[in-house]
């Protein structure tokens, strides 16, 4: 049951559910708190076990990045953005999806030290599965299949009709996006990043499938997602105009974001002066427990 906290009206005074409230969904709070608790538990274990020159916990920057990712996740799944997405505007839903896939996972990955994840790789089947799903080709396919499939009208409309399916949709976005970012931001040499040239190609190719989905949504001549047709209209947007705006949000900002990532990788490569700094391979085997 969501809880609404008083907040100044900032979006639309005529919205029936009222934008003077900040809606909090406790299922999301529970999940976010569990992630934070697991992070702090691993940090505490590392502090107690650290010897010599080993790290005694996450750095200040790492902890700030992880907590920032959790905060962005909370704001995406609660409050005005959530309510706009679920009850009013397809375009707001596309903003939410971009936040869940392009902002939350890289913040969480950048904030997670490799030593925090390494114990899981001591189990052979986990290590084998991890090597498969974090590889660039597999991660590319998983992410883009998930994005394309959930924007098919039948699946999308089912998610809008059933809350439990909607939760599964968002979880799949978060997991597949984490895999998508892994070849660029892996914290583990055992599951390495791509070399810089590979990262540049990967970032470029990643923009193509999402753009194709966005083009199909933007250029559709009828409403693909009828749940928004029955919603109260905001800011004079018709259902079709809202859908076209949502497609453009996925197409233009989504593509520009990946272009920025590509540019950052290029400048990092230029500064490094070599190809293998980002993805050095290591000879590694899982150890027995």
């Amino acid at each position: 049951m969501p809880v609404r906290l008083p907040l100044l009206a900032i979006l639309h005074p005529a919205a029936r559910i009222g934008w003077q409230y900040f809606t909090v969904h406790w299922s999301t709070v529970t999940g976010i708190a569990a992630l934070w608790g697991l992070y702090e538990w691993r940090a505490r274990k590392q502090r107690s076990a650290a010897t010599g020159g080993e790290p005694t916990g996450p750095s200040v920057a790492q902890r700030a990045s992880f907590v920032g990712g959790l905060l962005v996740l909370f704001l995406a799944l609660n409050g005005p953005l959530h309510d706009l997405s679920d009850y009013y505007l397809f375009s707001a839903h596309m903003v939410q999806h971009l936040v869940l896939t392009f902002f939350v996972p890289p913040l969480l990955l950048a904030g997670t030290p490799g030593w925090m994840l390494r114990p899981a790789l001591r189990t052979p089947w986990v290590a084998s599965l991890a090597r498969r799903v974090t590889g660039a080709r597999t991660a590319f396919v998983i992410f883009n299949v998930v994005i394309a499939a959930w924007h098919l009208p039948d699946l999308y409309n089912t998610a809008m009709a059933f809350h439990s399916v909607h939760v599964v949709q968002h979880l799949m976005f978060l997991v597949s996006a984490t895999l998508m970012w892994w070849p660029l931001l892996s914290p583990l040499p055992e599951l390495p990043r791509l070399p810089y040239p590979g990262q540049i190609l990967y970032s470029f190719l990643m923009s193509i499938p999402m753009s194709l989905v966005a083009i199909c949504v933007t250029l559709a001549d009828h409403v693909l997602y009828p749940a928004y047709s029955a919603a109260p209209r905001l800011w004079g947007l018709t259902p079709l105009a809202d859908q076209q705006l949502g497609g453009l949000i996925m197409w233009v900002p989504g593509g520009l974001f990946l272009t920025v990532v590509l540019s950052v990788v290029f400048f990092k490569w230029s500064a490094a002066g070599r190809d293998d700094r980002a993805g050095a391979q290591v000879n590694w085997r899982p150890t027995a427990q």
Side-chain angles (χ1 to χ4, degrees), residues 83-241:
D83 293 342
L84 270 177
S85 301
D86 276 24
Y87 306 118
Y88 291 92
L89 296 174
F90 173 78
S91 52
H93 215 165
M94 294 306 98
V95 172
Q96 185 188 55
H97 289 176
L98 287 180
V99 171
L100 292 176
T101 55
F102 282 179
F103 289 91
V104 174
L107 285 170
L108 296 182
L109 273 177
T112 305
W115 52 259
M116 194 172 279
L117 302 173
R118 188 166 286 114
L121 299 183
R122 294 172 185 162
T123 304
W125 72 266
V126 173
S128 177
L129 178 63
R131 285 194 296 271
R132 289 177 182 273
V133 298
T134 59
R137 284 177 291 186
T138 304
F140 179 93
V141 171
I142 290 174
F143 175 74
N144 286 297
V145 167
V146 166
I147 291 296
W150 278 111
H151 285 87
L152 293 173
D154 287 345
L155 275 179
Y156 191 100
N157 292 327
T158 300
M160 293 299 295
F162 299 99
H163 180 69
S164 58
V165 179
H166 204 166
V167 171
V168 170
Q169 180 194 59
H170 284 173
L171 287 173
M172 290 181 69
F173 283 164
L174 287 167
V175 171
S176 64
T178 300
L179 296 179
M180 181 270 282
W181 282 100
W182 200 277
L184 302 174
L185 295 173
S186 170
L188 279 169
E190 296 94 328
L191 306 171
R193 304 178 187 185
L194 286 169
Y196 286 127
Q199 289 189 30
I200 291 172
L201 179 61
Y202 179 81
S203 301
F204 169 73
L205 293 176
M206 189 60 69
S207 66
I208 297 175
M210 182 178 287
S211 294
L212 293 176
V213 173
I215 289 170
C216 292
V217 171
T218 304
L219 299 183
D221 59 1
H222 62 283
V223 175
L224 300 173
Y225 311 114
Y228 294 105
S229 296
R233 306 301 345 131
L234 301 185
W235 305 311
L237 284 172
T238 66
L240 186 58

